[in-house]
Amino acid sequence: MQIRNRAFLLLGLLGVATAGLTGCKKSGDAADADTIVIGEVAALTGGTATFGQSSHAGTQMAIDEVNAAGGVLGKKIKLVTEDDQSKQGEAGIVAKKLVSREKVVALLGEVASGRSLEMAPIAQKAGIPMISPASTNPKVTETGDSIFRVCFIDPFQGTVMAKFALARGWKKVAVMTDVTQDYSVGLSQYFKEYFTKNGGTIVGEQSYASGDKDFKAQLTSIKEGAPDAILASGYYNEVGLMSTQAKELGIQAPLLGGDGWDSPSLVQVAGKSIEGSFFSNHFSNEDTAPRIQEFVTKYKAKHGTIPDAMAALGYDSAMILVDAIKRAGTTEGKALRDAIAATKDFEGITGKITLDAKRDANKPAVVLTIKDGKFVYVETVAP
Amino acid sequence: MDQFVQQLLNGLFLGAIYALIALGYTMVYGVLRFINFAHGDVFMLGAFGGLYVHKALEPLLNSLPWPLALAVVMLASMAICAALGIAIEYFAYRPLRNRPRLNVLITAIGVSLFIEYTGQLVFGATQQPFPALIPRQNISGLGGLTVTMTQVIVVVVTTALLVGLRYIVMRTRLGLAMRALSLNPTAAALMGVNTSVVISFTFGLGSALAAAGGILYASLYPSVDPFMGIQPGIKAFVAAVLGGIGNIPGAALGGMIIGVVETLVTGYSQKLGIPSGYKEGVAFVILILILLFKPSGLLGKVEREKV
């Protein structure tokens, strides 16, 4: 009796498995005929999941809008999204899978620079273009001529925060760097370069790793230097905890950071301790321009939350790709690459986007502060 | 000088948490001679247990004075995790009881991954803020030094649990049975010890300790996520081996040493000329040195193999 039951179970499982397999194959065949397949790598789970989820929501919204308007080149677009679990190493694996198995015509993603750096050589080798929505480390687009980004880069972002600190009269700044993130390392480096060249002093330099929760040792050491501000160039997870621990140790200096702070999770964890700190970002949802407010309303209707910068950048990266497909009239790798490279004065949500010779977008940054638990616009800094 | 004392304090408080988790590792090893790699994940479940118990009972807890509310949340979460620990043992480890130990070890890693990824499905992937069960305030009157209320509670609870555990193992009948089992399982069974009950009890107790550790950890660092157990789990494992695995005071000592060394290395990294990212490396170097020169751990006894 038991053996028979097991045999039935096994048969059933086999049936389900084959059904699943053939199902997959069918959709793949259909994709060749009347759809354009675009691959997306996003951190939907794991340490920086709020970034991945936002950028994916923005990207998906753009694709849905294009499809609702009849698609492009007479075809519908199919977005295939792979989750890399916010893991170093996983982004490359899923990018390979998208290229070889799904035969995507272009790759979108990642938001984190370290993970984009894994995807870039794969796209370059496969001869398909890749557009990163939010990777700000310069090395990302230096990988090859098929790699693009729709955001500003760290040298600019670091300089913006250094300028901002100097303008406030802060001459002594301590630096906390997440050494496991290329993004954080780059941001700290460019901040230091500009800051020290223009009369500032770095009074303490400490490092940590993503996933760390205890920063008391570093902060105790930083406190000795009595800094006017502390550059925390990493991502929101650690910055939130760092902020509470700094206040516990009696450090009153504000924290400074980059776009890696832009997550509601930051304020939830840091609470009052993060009030009065500053970070640079790609866009402010308080911007009154009608184009931006229209985007905010549409996004809110769909997801129930106000879009953050990652959502806007995800939207822009997809729209630029669609625009290029339209102009190229084909999805063939080389022609599509050239069309993206020729992007000029594209009216994106995060600003007017022109891709320069290095395939980077030169765009202004906004500086935001945290007030009553909300991100409040302070100023715009042009490159 | 002030800075040194502050760093020492930081290290001791961090070490107390490691010690608390290490106790669970060491106890299961002491009785069953196998390392329960899922222990760090039960620690995570303990923190989430605390979060959800707090959410469910919020109005009631707000009307209680905070030490009582903390006790309620902690005991509830410890009970939940004790039940989970017993369930894990029952479903995952018991069927393998008479198999080679390597099988159980591999299963433990599987259980660990299972809990982490199921945790992502159930709790969501993003970190969640942990409620302030212990008022976030500093203890005053210490000059330039800062010690928070949470840190004091961590040390008090860890000490209390350590003493309580020592009492259970040394003075109760179940403790006696645990020790008998660890000495010789077959002989213990022949003498009328109900092996299954003792093993279930050991897992329940170890998991309850992990839950207490999870809540204290989440109170110190108020954000919880399904992967929060991995790093402290590994540190606690190192601490347990360092102190002599299977030895309860050894686990506490090992935890303290790892906490202090890590903190001092990080705090003085600039002066020492090593990047502070190397703190984990230093902890492991100490472990390697101990294993080279005193393989049984600091407080462990050398076991002679009978021929």
Side-chain angles (χ1 to χ4, degrees), chain A residues 44-46 49-50 53 85 87 179 204-207 211-214 216-218 220-221 223-224 236-237 241 244-245 248-249 265 268-269, chain B residues 3 6-7 10 14 117 120 125-127 129 138 144 146 148 151 217 221-225 228 231 263 266-267 269-270 275-277 279-280:
Chain A
L44 300 179
T45 57
T50 68
Q53 288 166 1
Q85 305 167 25
K87 270 190 200 155
V179 286
E205 258 191 281
Q206 295 286 331
S207 55
D212 281 0
K213 302 231 174 195
D214 186 283
K216 286 231 160 93
Q218 290 97 323
T220 302
S221 175
K223 196 184 168 189
E224 291 283 289
Y236 60 92
N237 299 53
L241 290 170
T244 52
Q245 291 170 31
E248 275 174 10
L249 286 168
S265 183
Q268 283 171 7
V269 170
Chain B
Q3 197 201 340
Q6 179 68 52
Q7 294 288 24
N10 293 343
L14 182 64
Y117 287 90
Q120 266 206 12
T126 42
Q127 58 175 14
N138 286 355
T146 52
T148 63
Q151 290 177 316
Y217 190 77
Y221 314 114
S223 86
V224 290
D225 65 88
M228 65 181 278
Q231 222 185 18
T263 307
T266 313
S269 59
Q270 255 181 326
S276 42
K279 62 167 194 227
E280 327 242 324

Side-chain angles (χ1 to χ4, degrees), chain B residues 252-301:
Chain B
L253 180 68
M256 290 295 182
I257 292 175
I258 296 284
V260 169
V261 168
E262 231 184 67
T263 307
L264 290 183
V265 167
T266 313
Y268 289 98
S269 59
Q270 255 181 326
K271 283 181 193 128
L272 293 170
I274 37 175
S276 42
Y278 279 53
K279 62 167 194 227
E280 327 242 324
V282 174
F284 282 100
V285 165
I286 291 178
L287 178 71
I288 291 167
L289 289 178
I290 288 284
L291 288 180
L292 276 177
F293 295 106
K294 199 168 184 312
S296 54
L298 290 175
L299 299 186
K301 288 191 190 73

Side-chain angles (χ1 to χ4, degrees), chain B residues 27-76:
Chain B
M27 206 171 52
V28 168
Y29 183 85
V31 174
L32 296 172
R33 305 279 146 190
F34 109 89
I35 291 154
N36 179 17
F37 273 118
H39 193 69
D41 302 296
V42 177
F43 161 89
M44 175 274 286
L45 291 175
F48 273 98
L51 178 69
Y52 285 106
V53 168
H54 183 267
K55 263 186 199 162
L57 301 177
E58 204 163 3
L60 170 75
L61 293 174
N62 285 344
S63 64
L64 295 173
W66 72 264
L68 211 58
L70 175 69
V72 169
V73 171
M74 202 174 250
L75 288 175

